[in-house]
Every structure is written in C-alpha cells, then in structure tokens.
Amino acid sequence: MASGNLWQLFKNVTEQGAKQLATVIDRNGSNYTVTMQGGGNTIVQSSAAYELQSKVFIRDGQIVSEAPDLPFVEIEV
Amino acid sequence: MSDALRLMLDRYISVQPKANKLSLPLDRNLGDITRYTYVFADSLPLRMERLAVVRPSANVLTLSIRQPLGTVAPKLYFISSSLPLPLSVLFSDQPAPNELPLNMSRRLGTVVGVPIAPPVDNEDVALAVNATADMSPTASAAVTIDADNDVGVAIVAVANMAPTASALISAEQIAVAIEIAATATLNPTASATASYDSNNPSVGMLNVSSNIQDAKLQGVGRQSGFENNANLAKSVSADWQQSKIISTNNQAQFESNEQLISSRQLSFEQSKLIGDSSKQGAEYQTFIASKSTLKTENAKRISHSNWYSFEAMAKRQIDRTLGAEYAELITDRLDTSSDYNRLTALSYDLRHEFARLPYSKLRYVPPPLSQTVILKEQVIEGWECGTGALRHYVYNDELALPMHRRIADRGISSSLAMPLSMPRGVLELSAEDADAMETRPCKRKTLGVNTTLDVVTCKPKMFGKASSVAVNAQSMINATAWLELLIGEKGEAYNKGVIFVTNSVSLVRSDDGREIKMLGFSVGIDSNSYTWSFSATVPLSELSKVNTAYEQQIGVEFTCNGNLWRFILDSCDDSVSFGESSLTIKGKSRAMLLAHPYATHRGFKYDTAMSARQIAEDELNRFGVPSGFTLDWQLAGVNGWNIPANTYSYSNKTPINSLQWIAEAAGGFINAHMSEDIIHVLAHYPIPSWEWAAQTPSIELPMSLITSRSRGRVNKPAYNGVTIYGENDGGIAALIKRTGTSGGYQPPMVTSDLMTDQDAAISRGKMILSDTGDIGNIDISMPLVADVGVLLPSTLVGVNDGESWIGKVSGTTITGRLNSNRALEIEQVAGFERHFDKESV
C-alpha cells in the first residue's frame, strides 16, 4: 500500500501533458505565437484558425482547442 | 499486540558498603595511631560488654555487698588523656586547643556542646532502623522468720524494665541527613508484701498506732516500730529496726533486710532498687533509665535521644558521621550494636578514625591527621629581614582532628602538602618553599625556634593547601530493591488486559447458501479503486461451487469477524500438478455491475442545469430505469455543485466512468459499499491535510493493536496555490491559494469540463494543495477488531505507533490464512497518509 495503487501509478507515468491556457498574439501560417497564462511566449502549431487575442488550450506544442474566456476569482482555503 | 503489564521499578535502596571491604590506599593502617588510650573494663565490677539483658538478676548481687548499709557508692569516673575533645562536638563548636590541656579530666559520658539537629531531608531514601532492647530484670527477696512467736515476713520485689529504642535515619541520595529518634521506655514496678499470722499474739495491727514491747506491736498512722519482733504494717510504709518495719507514705527502709517502698521509689540496700519515672538506681546494680537515658554504673549505658554513649567505648554520632575507635560498627536499619564488635553505618558515609574514607561524591577529603597550629608568632630581636624581623613559628601537633571538615572549606584541589604528623615545635622550610609561602614574612632560608620563647597559643592556622586522598573503595553492596507495581501509573495496556481476537470467517454462495471452504483470502479497497477486490484460495474440491466458466455472476457473501461483504466472482483459476493443486477465485463488489463488461458504454448530454449529485443519481437511474444502486454523496456539499445546462456531456462512458468523472472534477473518488448496493462519493481530503493536526478523530488506533508498521516517505512540492480553469463557457476560472500566501507556487493549470462552480473549485483546490509536502505512506498491520473495524479510505484516524499522529486511510487490505497450527490468522493492513510537515499546529 505504501507504494500506492498500481493503476494510479501507471496512469501518472503515461499521463499526457496537461492542457494549458494561452492567448494567441501572433500567427504565421500554422504557427501561432501564444502567451502562456503564467507569462512567457511560445510557438505552437495548429491547422485551425484562431483569432488574435483568443484564448486557446495548448498541449505538447499544439493548440488543442479554443478556450473560453473566463473571469478569474481568487479563493483562499 | 503484546501488552504485558509494565513493572515499574520505583526505586532502589542501597545499603552502605561493608566496612571490611574497603580498600584504602592510605599510608596509615588501622590501629597505627596511638594517640588514644583505651580503658578496659576489667577493673569494673561488670564486664563492659555485658548487655543489660544478660546481667545477673538483682538478688544475685546481694552477696557482694562491701559497703555499709545505707551508704551509696561513689560514682566512678574515667580519667582519660585520650579524649582531648568532646566526642560529639562539631569542630567549629569545639573549644580552642589551648583550653584543652592534654591531661584533661572529663567525665566520660558528658556532652559538651549543643546536640546537633540533623537536617530534615528524607526525600528519596528512607532507612528505617529499629533497635529494640528489652531488659526485664527481676529482683526478688524473700525473708522468712520461722519462729512461731516471731513475725513471718515474705518480701517480693520485682523490677521490670522494658526499654525500647528505635532510630530512624532518612537520607537523600547525596546530601545525607540523619534523623534519629530513640526512645527508651522504662516501666519499673515495685511491690512489697508483708504477711503475718494474725493468730500470732506477737503480731499487732493497728490502723493508727500500736506499740508492743516484748512481743509488741507498734502501729501508727505514719510510723510503727518493733524493737525485737516488731511488725509495723501500714498501707504505705514500714520501718524495721532489727526486725522492724518502718513504713511511711513515701519510704521504707530496712537496715538488715530493709525495704524501701514508695510510690515512686524502691530502695534496697542489699538488693536495692531505685526507680522513679526517669531513673532507677541500685548501688551494686544500678539501673539508670529515662526516656532518653539508661545509665548503669557498673555496666552503664547512656542513651540519648540521638545517640548512645558508652564510657570507655565512646561512640560518636555527629551529624553525618559515626566514628568508632577500634573497629566500630554502627548499624542502621537492621543492625545491632555490641560493645567490642561495633558496627558503624551511615547511609552514604562511612568514616573511620583510623582509616577514614572520604566520600568523593560529597567532595569530602579527610583532614590531615595532624593539624599544625601556630601557637605564637615569635620575633627574635636583631634579626632584620627587609622591613621586618625574622619570624619563628612554633607548632603544635597532635591536636584533635576535626572529624568532618568539608573540602569545600579548604579548597578543592591540590595534593597533600603537609605530612600527616609533624614533630612538635619546628617547621623547617626550604628556601624555595619559604619563598613560596605567601605568609612568609622574611626571605631567610631557615626558620628557627627560640625554645625559650613564651609560647602562647594563637588561633589555629592551616599551612599548605588542601589535602586530598584518593580512596578506592571496593564495596560489597547489599542492595534491597523495592519493587512496586504502580498500578496507578497506567501504561496504555492498563486495564485492558490481553486482547484476544477470535477470528471467524465464512464464504457462502448468495443464491443457495452453500458454503465454500477457504484456505486463505484477501479483501481490500483503496481510494483509487471503486470496488472491493476479493480473492481467495479454496480447495480444488470446491470448484463446482465457484466455476465461473459455467456460471456467470456467481454472487457470494463473505463474512469476516462480523463484517459482511458481497461479491460477484469474476475469475476462477486452478492449477494441478503432482501432489498439489490450487484454486484461486477472485471477485469484486456488486458495483462492478455498473462497469464494463456488465454495463454498456453510453453518451449523454443534459439540457438543463442540474447539480452534480442530481446528475450522478440520474446516471444510476437513466431514463427512469433504476440500477438498484444508490448514492452516498459526501463531496463538495450536500448536493455537490451546480452544472449549467449543456455542460455535462460525454460519450462512451459506463455509469461507473461517469461517476468517477464527476467525482474527480471536485477532487473526489468513488467507493463501493462493502455489502450494500451503495456508491460512496467521497472527497480525497474531506479535511485538508493542514487541518488534520487540530482534529479529534473518531477512530483511535492504539499502539497495543499495532502488530507491524512500515513507512515510506515522499516529498512533494509544497504548492500554495493552484489555477483551475473550466473548459466550457459555463465554467469558472479560479486561483485557489492557501490562506496567508500569495498562491504563487503552483502546479500546472488544472482544467476540467465540470469546473463550473466555486464549490467544485474549492474542493478540487483543497485536494491538490493537500497532496503536498513531506508525506509519509505508512502501512500498519493490526488485528481486525470491532473497536477499529474495517478502515475505509479517506477516514481520519488517530494513530499511536510510538508517536501520536493523525493520518488518512488511503486503503486497506484484510488477509486471512491458516497458520501452521491450522488456526485462522486475520490481519488488516491499512495504508495511511501522514503529513509530517503539517503536524505542528
């Protein structure tokens, strides 16, 4: 038990990179320059068209989907 | 599970080392010092060492009368030059040396100085000493006058003395304090009876007075006298001359055979007993007794409340020291004292005069055996030395030694600078030594003595530094251990006794109740598994009952120590080889029916806003068709969180998949009930890990139940915030952060389709932030007992495995097997999550 649930450990190993929120700031063909949620720019690719300043989810250098633009709330626990 | 009662050894009492075991490297042997002269008792009528109880009875002594009747023998005193100082006086209380000429005459047994009141300190060690001395002398005298015309007289005198002295010494471990209480009680009784023949004409009895000459009887109220055969009888007094009785209220005297009777005193001249409330004296056999003193002249005993003193065999008790002159034994506790074989004992200090033992722990060193004292500073005229005259010093040795001087009074370290004894009168110093002397007034080479000097004593002065003597003592310790079983000091096993666990287990088919024999089993669950897993080893002969190849969904009911599980068997594996065979069956909870392959994958979308709980319940009753399962919802509030319309949408999920999806969104998990068709929807951290230390768990796991423990530790990042982002337009974005922090140390963003409400965000955030820091994964084995029961995942448990901490159950496995004695052993191994870094509240 100390090693934990085997299936869970396996899932952790094989887990895909998490979806990250980013904002499109530039487009060059299928290359998009996006600003990550936590700051910093990176180039991702997508064959789909995304408008500048739109929010997108990216994963592993690809734009996965368009993301909703949601207002942030801060909650202390 | 061992819970043997703890025997608590409360204290040890050590008895003093035996004196004869001391190995003393002193350069002086026992008996080497001759400054003391001892008086032997053979000149005394009674041997000194004779105990009172063995003395001859009083009437035996009458034959040795050598004194005229009516006289009292003078008291005997010992003249001794061997006792320059009172034996029982503190050094500081002693008179100056010059006040004590060596040929002093001091009455032995006298005490100079103030009795020492020992400090009262009896905390740790108590030595009780009870010494009992019983003296029951009997004095009787019988006189019979046979002539018929005379008076027949019978006299019986009885003296009983039963003194009892007890002493109690109490001492702390180091600082010795002595408290001695000795009590000697004397109860003398004297009676005299005079009988006569009333028919004899020569007996007269009057109340007031009668007087007979030539067979006359005289009786008066206070006096009667017989001249020849006179008999005087009174209630109180009789006095005889020749054969007369003189009686008065307070006294009776016999001259030839006289008897003194009074209410307070009996005096016999030939066999005389003097007794009063505090004293009885006889001339040849004297008893002196009081509550604190027994004194006899010929074999006298002097006892005080704090010490007994024997003349010519002095016994000293000073504060913490008992000294004996030859080989004294002074005993505490259970010892007795005899005159020539004395035993000296102190609780922690033994000191002999001739072989002194300093008690190093108390930092005692013995004083030098000879104390040099400057008697007078002498100045020789004409000897100029610098600005002063050459000074000569006259020394005197052989002064009495302070028996107990603390080294602290004299400085701790240094070697023995002074010889143990010095020739009287001269101290010669080398030039170096003379130069080194701080008190040296003149730097001449030699200090001489002017023998014509008028020697006047001055105050004692100590030369040299403090002496120290190393004493190696090999001690025989007679130790008495006092074992006290302190029931009140409760170990945790107290009042619980031995825990007996009677295991019972059974496995039967649900449909026809047929019992399935088992050789061993394992059943368990954890927070990442939605069902209980069951496996069992059964005899191959049971194959027909559990053959899942022929029968689908064989339901079984498994009971272990009163806990019931229901399973559906989904596996049956057997193997046969020569001489052995095995059959293993496996099963899961009935919730397995909600998962593949028993349930189909499906897709769905809700067009209306619902709560998470409503959606979950609807998953179990899709289109109004009940699955038979119900929910036990304990995640993110009573009804969970709100999910807007057109948000909950999925495809290709079984009902179990759907429930897991919902639970995971808010940091939860699902578990099947042990026996019922209930799905528990639980939070991974119903209480955040940083609040555990302040909790009072409903389940306590005592150390006595723990049979084994294994620990693993993992250090996870100590995130203080997490960003959670919904994936739909109806979702929310939230930064969940620990109170009082910036929340800037975050894991990667968490996204979820169902992150549609703050309640869900908070629940998910607590789960993520709880799973941080220094985490211990601890497996603890225990018997499966009702007090603890089956430990279900996410339950908080207070654990005492040597440390007391609160942990969360992450999973449990209950195993059973037959041991070598064919006895059933059942053990629960629970996994706990412990947060070491959050345990300080």
Side-chain angles (χ1 to χ4, degrees), chain B residues 254-272:
Chain B
F254 296 80
E255 287 201 354
S256 292
N257 187 10
E258 78 186 359
Q259 181 178 16
L260 294 173
I261 303 170
S262 73
S263 62
R264 295 180 179 274
Q265 188 171 6
L266 274 176
S267 181
F268 296 84
E269 285 199 350
Q270 292 186 340
S271 173
K272 178 158 76 177

Side-chain angles (χ1 to χ4, degrees), chain A residues 1-2 5 19 68 73 75 77, chain B residues 526 725 727 733 735 737 739 779:
Chain A
M1 209 81 59
N5 182 286
K19 275 194 231 178
V73 295
I75 302 169
V77 295
Chain B
D526 60 54
Y725 206 82
E727 297 186 13
L735 169 61
K737 63 180 185 178
T739 302
D779 285 356

Side-chain angles (χ1 to χ4, degrees), chain B residues 651-694:
Chain B
S651 64
N652 207 28
K653 289 184 188 293
T654 62
I656 283 292
N657 293 143
S658 301
L659 295 178
Q660 286 176 322
W661 184 43
I662 296 169
E664 286 174 3
F669 65 99
I670 61 172
N671 264 179
H673 191 274
M674 289 164 55
S675 57
E676 312 273 334
D677 288 344
I678 296 173
I679 306 295
H680 300 286
V681 182
L682 307 168
H684 275 291
Y685 293 88
I687 295 169
S689 60
W690 57 86
E691 294 179 4
W692 290 357

Side-chain angles (χ1 to χ4, degrees), chain B residues 735-754:
Chain B
L735 169 61
I736 308 297
K737 63 180 185 178
R738 289 286 306 276
T739 302
T741 68
S742 66
Y745 186 24
Q746 296 183 8
M749 174 184 289
V750 174
T751 61
S752 171
D753 288 337
L754 299 180

Side-chain angles (χ1 to χ4, degrees), chain A residues 1-5 7-8 11 18-21 37 55 57 66-77, chain B residues 526 528-529 723 725-729 731-739 748-749 751 758 762 777 779 813 831:
Chain A
M1 209 81 59
S3 58
N5 182 286
W7 169 245
Q8 189 64 38
K11 272 178 36 176
K19 275 194 231 178
Q20 295 295 298
L21 182 67
Q37 170 64 22
K55 302 272 190 184
F57 287 120
E66 188 166 358
D69 190 5
L70 302 174
F72 266 96
V73 295
E74 279 194 12
I75 302 169
E76 287 191 337
V77 295
Chain B
D526 60 54
N528 294 307
S529 305
T723 300
Y725 206 82
E727 297 186 13
N728 299 311
D729 288 336
I732 66 162
L735 169 61
I736 308 297
K737 63 180 185 178
R738 289 286 306 276
T739 302
M749 174 184 289
T751 61
Q758 286 194 10
I762 291 172
N777 294 312
D779 285 356
T813 302

Side-chain angles (χ1 to χ4, degrees), chain B residues 58 135-140 157-161 187-190 266 273 280 287:
Chain B
M135 292 191 292
S136 301
T138 300
S140 62
V158 178
N160 292 323
M161 289 195 292
N187 297 309
T189 302
L266 274 176
L273 173 67
Q280 273 199 348
F287 287 63

Side-chain angles (χ1 to χ4, degrees), chain A residues 16-43:
Chain A
Q16 290 181 312
K19 275 194 231 178
Q20 295 295 298
L21 182 67
T23 305
V24 176
I25 60 172
D26 193 13
R27 177 181 183 184
N28 185 7
S30 61
N31 291 340
Y32 289 82
T33 302
V34 297
T35 300
M36 305 298 292
Q37 170 64 22
N41 296 341
T42 187
I43 295 176

